[in-house]
Amino acid sequence: RFKFKLNREINSGANYFNFNIPDSTLITQNKSLKNRFAFNLSKYQMQIAYTFINSGTKNLLINGIDIRKNIFHSVEFNKTIKNFIIANIFKSGNKKYKSEYFSGNNFSVNYIANNTSINFKIDKKSNIKSNIIFKNKINLIGEEKLISYTAGGEYRFSSVNKGSFQVNFNFVKINYIGKTNTAVSYEILEGLLPGKNFLWSVLWYKKLTKYLQLELNYSGRKSDTGKIIHTGGMSIRAFF
């Protein structure tokens, strides 16, 4: 399956299909290319898929051009054994950011990630999932390096009449080299801190009436050096 998407906004008088127009003519551009090959081996209850994605944005701001790019390859494997689903996703790519004015925030990060999970279906309404994640990131134009390990679990319950309930818990161990409290470190650390991180969340949906749905969510996190951070929210959705 091949998909290409391009959204551009340019100054009047410029050729929309000219890809070599000067930056002063371009106002904003969003580009995405996705190519996916999937093989379903139904006899063995197995699926293997390869995906290539090349996406990026370019925006003309008051202080210059702002460019973001993300290119990666991924290989996915899924195997069903009775009530178990074993899955593995391997991803390798490069993420870039370039700013004319804030050059200190520029980065070019090579990364690899591997996510292995086991999903056990208890019954038609509930399942338990465990996962182990490994990540390695290197900033090619800086000193930042990261190796992280994540172990976590999830329980999910879903019922047409009772709504749905989901709880997650993850332990993340991060080995990091480089400066902290910078835009680059925030990108590489994904908002977490070096060392041990504990993350948990609870999500609950409840259908109040035929047209109203209640959502309650709560999440928390704790690092080696920081205090516990709690975040919660409530919303009501109306369907017409």
Side-chain angles (χ1 to χ4, degrees):
R1 185 173 61 182
F2 176 83
K3 182 179 180 181
F4 178 75
K5 184 178 180 180
L6 176 66
N7 292 320
R8 307 178 83 194
E9 184 178 352
I10 58 178
N11 292 330
S12 59
N15 184 357
Y16 185 87
F17 297 98
N18 181 8
F19 293 95
N20 296 316
I21 59 176
D23 291 337
S24 58
T25 304
L26 180 68
I27 299 175
T28 181
Q29 175 176 285
N30 295 282
K31 180 176 64 175
S32 174
L33 183 150
K34 181 178 181 180
N35 203 2
R36 179 179 174 86
F37 300 94
F39 303 92
N40 289 305
L41 306 175
S42 56
K43 180 180 178 181
Y44 303 99
Q45 294 184 301
M46 184 187 305
Q47 183 187 66
I48 301 173
Y50 164 77
T51 304
F52 170 74
I53 292 180
N54 184 344
S55 62
T57 63
K58 180 185 283 189
N59 297 292
L60 177 62
L61 307 177
I62 297 175
N63 46 27
I65 293 292
D66 187 275
I67 301 173
R68 293 182 181 272
K69 292 182 179 179
N70 188 16
I71 301 173
F72 68 86
H73 307 262
S74 71
V75 177
E76 304 171 34
F77 169 82
N78 288 277
K79 170 68 176 177
T80 302
I81 304 175
K82 294 184 178 180
N83 291 343
F84 290 90
I85 299 177
I86 302 172
N88 191 85
I89 302 175
F90 175 81
K91 183 184 292 186
S92 174
N94 177 270
K95 185 180 288 188
K96 293 181 180 180
Y97 173 74
K98 182 178 180 181
S99 172
E100 286 187 343
Y101 188 76
F102 298 103
S103 59
N105 296 339
N106 294 351
F107 61 79
S108 177
V109 177
N110 277 354
Y111 62 90
I112 61 172
N114 192 82
N115 185 340
T116 302
S117 64
I118 299 177
N119 193 327
F120 174 65
K121 190 172 183 180
I122 302 172
D123 50 40
K124 293 182 179 180
K125 297 180 180 180
S126 58
N127 66 280
I128 297 176
K129 181 180 179 181
S130 63
N131 62 278
I132 297 176
I133 304 171
F134 167 79
K135 293 182 181 180
N136 186 359
K137 301 181 182 181
I138 299 176
N139 185 12
L140 301 179
I141 58 175
E143 61 180 348
E144 295 83 7
K145 296 180 180 180
L146 174 142
I147 295 178
S148 72
Y149 306 89
T150 301
E154 173 186 295
Y155 172 76
R156 181 178 297 181
F157 173 86
S158 180
S159 172
V160 176
N161 298 323
K162 297 181 180 180
S164 63
F165 173 79
Q166 180 178 326
V167 58
N168 295 271
F169 179 82
N170 287 290
F171 168 74
V172 186
K173 178 68 170 66
I174 298 177
N175 299 318
Y176 175 75
I177 298 175
K179 297 179 180 179
T180 56
N181 298 321
T182 65
V184 179
S185 68
Y186 186 83
E187 171 67 31
I188 293 178
L189 290 167
E190 300 178 14
L192 302 178
L193 294 174
K196 299 177 182 178
N197 294 266
F198 300 88
L199 309 166
W200 59 91
S201 66
V202 179
L203 182 63
W204 180 57
Y205 287 96
K206 175 64 176 178
K207 192 174 183 180
L208 301 177
T209 68
K210 185 178 180 180
Y211 305 102
L212 290 177
Q213 182 179 3
L214 173 67
E215 175 187 329
L216 298 174
N217 64 81
Y218 160 76
S219 62
R221 63 178 182 176
K222 174 70 171 67
S223 63
D224 275 340
T225 57
K227 297 181 180 180
I228 298 178
I229 299 175
H230 302 280
T231 305
M234 181 183 74
S235 65
I236 296 178
R237 297 181 181 181
F239 301 93
F240 300 98

